[in-house]
Amino acid sequence: MMAKLNVALVVVALFLGACTSDAGPGDTGTTSTAATSTTRGAQSSTTAGGGGVGQGAGAGVPAFAYALQQFDQCDALLTWIRAEAAELVGPYGFNNNFGYFPGERAIAVAEDDAGGGDGGSESFAAAEAAPASEFSTTNVQELGVDEPDLVKTDGDFLFVLADNELHLIDVRGDAELRDTMRFEDYYPNEILIGADRLYVLSNWYGPVLYAGEGGDAIVPEFEQPTLVITEVLVDGGRLTERGRLEVSGAYVTARQIGDGARIVVRHDPQVALPFLFPSSPEAEERAAEVNRQVVLDSTLEQWLPSYRLADGSEQSAGILPACDRVRAPQQFSGMSTVSVLTLDMTAPLSKGNALSLFGAGETVYASTSSLYAATMDYPDIVILEDGAVEQDDDFMTAIHQFDITDVAGAEYSASGAVPGHLLNQFSLSEHEGHLRVAVTEGSPWFCCSDEPSVSSVRILAAEDDELVEVGAVGDLGVDESIFGVRFVGDTGYVVTFRQTDPLYVIDLSNPAAPAVQGELKITGYSAYLHPVDDGLVLGVGQEATLDGATIGTKVSLFDVSDPSDPREIDRWVQEQSSSAVEYDHKAFLYWAPERLAVVPVDSWGADTSGAVALEVVDRSLVEVARIRQAPPVDQDLPPGCELVDAEIFLGTELEWLAYEGGLVVTCSEPQEPRSFGGYYCEPLDNFGIAEGSTSDEIDVEQTTVCWPENYDRGQIRRSVVIGEVVWTIGFRSVQANDINTFEVLDRIDL
């Protein structure tokens, strides 16, 4: 089925799709010209047939040639790269373009030649027994597979990233900030922690200026992403930088199993090649010719990620992967590379042992034995002579499996493909030799298809070097998309949403014949699902109206003890709010010994931001506390002033004030603009509000409206339990609350 739509709509859709998928330039492998489709590697449009819900979705997935090929010699690798890239490159390098660069981002192509550049799933029992120590760890997808985070603890210290700084906080007695390490040149993202050292994983962006024709042409400046791994030793309450590894490319994610760290980086060669760009349609042909020569004159250094290692007094640099550690799919999937870098955290930092493959690597999942990198093969598009666009509704996601059981380095295992696209890492799960994959089929742009979307769960098994589908269940959420998914042992939970939230319970015990056991339809959706115990699952997402309009954060307690009859047995809702847990599972804390969940909540209504502590008691949810890091505002109010519920403005011309995250204060005497308690306030009548045009409950002349001076005031990013204390970490402070009374015990400003 081909969908026909306006060019402008496609431009916007492709841009949004590229942003949400993290795909770099060149990942799609598409260049558009009138009345032609130049997408390389177009495949059969056959997809799996789909029976009814609970039935097999069929075995009609086409046999794509996604298996990876290996190059024994560097010359053979470079020859392959040049040949593939020469067919792909166009007047805009490897980018899709429907227009021209304006102003300084364009060059007029001259008549003379331009030279090229040189150059494993948990069970309910496991979930209940997971906290074997007296402190919580990062909330991860798989037991035994640690994930990087902005907060880590060993039970004695908190390691916290905030505002370009790494903070070491001693929590063994009275909390004490022992040391701070500042990163001046780049922004630290996450931490991996070992026995006596930690890695700080950072992304750095810097401009790269390309030489033009004759050295004096105007050429674009691009931001070059670089992964920076900083090795920090922890000794005697002090932080000491020991080594630094820089890798060209963008940091994607990392996993840690025991002492072995696997760090994934994506490299885009577009920023390393001196491509020229046309400033008019007339210059396109010449620009394409120049760029093709750039490709033919290119070197491996311009295509593969490079590294620079500073290890004490020693320094080294070069290409990151050895040529025989580079793989390329038979089915072309772009000129970007994704690399799996293996490091031993018991030894000094080194360049490690990298395995690289050509492809985008948008989604990464790891079990204790395998790492999977998934890349969506974007659908073909055809621009017709009348300016309309046809798009193929059939597209695939390629999945590559790597063996990570040896700390010496990852090894390629197998490849396969499934129709549709993934939601996130939770869409993948390895269990007893099978890979379960939850996918949504339909336009990945959510705008450009006449066919309704539909979801399925597909089960793959490795046969030699191929991931082969052995079973599937389809027709989940017709005309909806997957919003949440979790695999727990032999059971899968899939949430789809458009107007209501169907929760599907799927029996995966027989990989060849998976089946839907039960279905629950309720309002709203759960974006994150967390197994508790006794057949209970917690869901965090949004409540919604019957029409599908979201209205605020919802935490659901599901009873799935009878898979054929899943039920929502309790829920907690805060309107006009959202939770970071909806898109970041690491923001969620569940402490099994106390059956306690801590969920950050950001409010733009009358309630302030912070976190809610919910206890699972007798198969119900009980709110036990609201945790706020900001001191109570009313302690800082001027004399004669009191807080007013901002909802009094609902239905008036000041309704927007109820959604801005601010405060409303009434005072016995008119107030001047001023700051108090971290808020900036102005009298309401400064906004030209006429008396009687708003709520009768307030006096305009005596009312002041206030906004946080810092947008992140009061936001809680993470929660950690150590002993009898719940630690909450915000952007600017760390706070300790008693786990029984939630009384504030201590606070450290960062």
Side-chain angles (χ1 to χ4, degrees), residues 729-741:
I729 295 89
F731 283 92
R732 303 173 187 276
S733 60
V734 174
Q735 182 173 292
N737 289 73
D738 184 279
I739 198 170
N740 298 305
T741 65

PDB file of all heavy atoms in Angstrom, residues 729-741:
ATOM      1  N   ILE A 729      17.394  12.898  44.827  1.00  0.00           N
ATOM      2  CA  ILE A 729      18.414  13.697  44.161  1.00  0.00           C
ATOM      3  C   ILE A 729      17.741  14.603  43.149  1.00  0.00           C
ATOM      4  O   ILE A 729      17.027  14.137  42.251  1.00  0.00           O
ATOM      5  CB  ILE A 729      19.464  12.794  43.473  1.00  0.00           C
ATOM      6  CG1 ILE A 729      20.241  11.983  44.513  1.00  0.00           C
ATOM      7  CG2 ILE A 729      20.416  13.628  42.648  1.00  0.00           C
ATOM      8  CD1 ILE A 729      19.633  10.654  44.865  1.00  0.00           C
ATOM      9  N   GLY A 730      17.938  15.905  43.301  1.00  0.00           N
ATOM     10  CA  GLY A 730      17.399  16.880  42.369  1.00  0.00           C
ATOM     11  C   GLY A 730      18.497  17.489  41.531  1.00  0.00           C
ATOM     12  O   GLY A 730      19.635  17.026  41.516  1.00  0.00           O
ATOM     13  N   PHE A 731      18.176  18.554  40.821  1.00  0.00           N
ATOM     14  CA  PHE A 731      19.165  19.235  40.002  1.00  0.00           C
ATOM     15  C   PHE A 731      20.174  19.993  40.854  1.00  0.00           C
ATOM     16  O   PHE A 731      21.313  20.161  40.455  1.00  0.00           O
ATOM     17  CB  PHE A 731      18.478  20.219  39.044  1.00  0.00           C
ATOM     18  CG  PHE A 731      17.845  19.565  37.865  1.00  0.00           C
ATOM     19  CD1 PHE A 731      16.516  19.173  37.904  1.00  0.00           C
ATOM     20  CD2 PHE A 731      18.562  19.332  36.703  1.00  0.00           C
ATOM     21  CE1 PHE A 731      15.916  18.575  36.811  1.00  0.00           C
ATOM     22  CE2 PHE A 731      17.981  18.725  35.607  1.00  0.00           C
ATOM     23  CZ  PHE A 731      16.647  18.348  35.663  1.00  0.00           C
ATOM     24  N   ARG A 732      19.752  20.428  42.045  1.00  0.00           N
ATOM     25  CA  ARG A 732      20.605  21.325  42.823  1.00  0.00           C
ATOM     26  C   ARG A 732      20.795  20.885  44.268  1.00  0.00           C
ATOM     27  O   ARG A 732      21.478  21.560  45.033  1.00  0.00           O
ATOM     28  CB  ARG A 732      20.012  22.740  42.796  1.00  0.00           C
ATOM     29  CG  ARG A 732      19.840  23.277  41.383  1.00  0.00           C
ATOM     30  CD  ARG A 732      19.094  24.593  41.355  1.00  0.00           C
ATOM     31  NE  ARG A 732      18.790  24.993  39.991  1.00  0.00           N
ATOM     32  CZ  ARG A 732      19.633  25.632  39.196  1.00  0.00           C
ATOM     33  NH1 ARG A 732      20.824  25.960  39.632  1.00  0.00           N
ATOM     34  NH2 ARG A 732      19.288  25.950  37.964  1.00  0.00           N
ATOM     35  N   SER A 733      20.197  19.758  44.647  1.00  0.00           N
ATOM     36  CA  SER A 733      20.316  19.351  46.044  1.00  0.00           C
ATOM     37  C   SER A 733      20.077  17.860  46.199  1.00  0.00           C
ATOM     38  O   SER A 733      19.489  17.211  45.328  1.00  0.00           O
ATOM     39  CB  SER A 733      19.335  20.139  46.927  1.00  0.00           C
ATOM     40  OG  SER A 733      18.005  19.908  46.508  1.00  0.00           O
ATOM     41  N   VAL A 734      20.535  17.334  47.337  1.00  0.00           N
ATOM     42  CA  VAL A 734      20.307  15.951  47.745  1.00  0.00           C
ATOM     43  C   VAL A 734      19.657  16.001  49.120  1.00  0.00           C
ATOM     44  O   VAL A 734      20.110  16.741  50.001  1.00  0.00           O
ATOM     45  CB  VAL A 734      21.628  15.158  47.796  1.00  0.00           C
ATOM     46  CG1 VAL A 734      21.404  13.763  48.361  1.00  0.00           C
ATOM     47  CG2 VAL A 734      22.253  15.072  46.409  1.00  0.00           C
ATOM     48  N   GLN A 735      18.599  15.220  49.304  1.00  0.00           N
ATOM     49  CA  GLN A 735      17.847  15.287  50.559  1.00  0.00           C
ATOM     50  C   GLN A 735      17.630  13.897  51.127  1.00  0.00           C
ATOM     51  O   GLN A 735      17.403  12.935  50.390  1.00  0.00           O
ATOM     52  CB  GLN A 735      16.494  15.962  50.311  1.00  0.00           C
ATOM     53  CG  GLN A 735      15.628  16.128  51.547  1.00  0.00           C
ATOM     54  CD  GLN A 735      14.396  16.958  51.262  1.00  0.00           C
ATOM     55  OE1 GLN A 735      14.494  18.148  50.998  1.00  0.00           O
ATOM     56  NE2 GLN A 735      13.231  16.326  51.305  1.00  0.00           N
ATOM     57  N   ALA A 736      17.706  13.790  52.457  1.00  0.00           N
ATOM     58  CA  ALA A 736      17.471  12.529  53.164  1.00  0.00           C
ATOM     59  C   ALA A 736      16.153  12.606  53.914  1.00  0.00           C
ATOM     60  O   ALA A 736      15.902  13.566  54.649  1.00  0.00           O
ATOM     61  CB  ALA A 736      18.620  12.253  54.134  1.00  0.00           C
ATOM     62  N   ASN A 737      15.306  11.567  53.718  1.00  0.00           N
ATOM     63  CA  ASN A 737      14.042  11.445  54.448  1.00  0.00           C
ATOM     64  C   ASN A 737      13.992  10.097  55.156  1.00  0.00           C
ATOM     65  O   ASN A 737      14.404   9.075  54.586  1.00  0.00           O
ATOM     66  CB  ASN A 737      12.849  11.554  53.498  1.00  0.00           C
ATOM     67  CG  ASN A 737      12.646  12.940  52.946  1.00  0.00           C
ATOM     68  OD1 ASN A 737      13.407  13.393  52.097  1.00  0.00           O
ATOM     69  ND2 ASN A 737      11.609  13.620  53.402  1.00  0.00           N
ATOM     70  N   ASP A 738      13.482  10.103  56.373  1.00  0.00           N
ATOM     71  CA  ASP A 738      13.303   8.857  57.107  1.00  0.00           C
ATOM     72  C   ASP A 738      12.309   7.967  56.352  1.00  0.00           C
ATOM     73  O   ASP A 738      11.230   8.414  55.967  1.00  0.00           O
ATOM     74  CB  ASP A 738      12.791   9.152  58.518  1.00  0.00           C
ATOM     75  CG  ASP A 738      12.666   7.900  59.361  1.00  0.00           C
ATOM     76  OD1 ASP A 738      11.647   7.194  59.214  1.00  0.00           O
ATOM     77  OD2 ASP A 738      13.579   7.628  60.159  1.00  0.00           O
ATOM     78  N   ILE A 739      12.660   6.702  56.132  1.00  0.00           N
ATOM     79  CA  ILE A 739      11.825   5.823  55.324  1.00  0.00           C
ATOM     80  C   ILE A 739      10.499   5.477  56.010  1.00  0.00           C
ATOM     81  O   ILE A 739       9.548   5.062  55.353  1.00  0.00           O
ATOM     82  CB  ILE A 739      12.595   4.524  54.968  1.00  0.00           C
ATOM     83  CG1 ILE A 739      11.927   3.815  53.779  1.00  0.00           C
ATOM     84  CG2 ILE A 739      12.688   3.597  56.179  1.00  0.00           C
ATOM     85  CD1 ILE A 739      12.729   2.678  53.217  1.00  0.00           C
ATOM     86  N   ASN A 740      10.415   5.653  57.333  1.00  0.00           N
ATOM     87  CA  ASN A 740       9.189   5.334  58.067  1.00  0.00           C
ATOM     88  C   ASN A 740       8.278   6.540  58.231  1.00  0.00           C
ATOM     89  O   ASN A 740       7.065   6.450  58.039  1.00  0.00           O
ATOM     90  CB  ASN A 740       9.549   4.749  59.440  1.00  0.00           C
ATOM     91  CG  ASN A 740      10.325   3.446  59.314  1.00  0.00           C
ATOM     92  OD1 ASN A 740       9.884   2.508  58.669  1.00  0.00           O
ATOM     93  ND2 ASN A 740      11.501   3.402  59.930  1.00  0.00           N
ATOM     94  N   THR A 741       8.864   7.691  58.572  1.00  0.00           N
ATOM     95  CA  THR A 741       8.060   8.889  58.826  1.00  0.00           C
ATOM     96  C   THR A 741       8.145   9.910  57.702  1.00  0.00           C
ATOM     97  O   THR A 741       7.339  10.834  57.647  1.00  0.00           O
ATOM     98  CB  THR A 741       8.520   9.563  60.123  1.00  0.00           C
ATOM     99  OG1 THR A 741       9.877  10.044  59.946  1.00  0.00           O
ATOM    100  CG2 THR A 741       8.476   8.583  61.286  1.00  0.00           C
TER     101      THR A 741
END
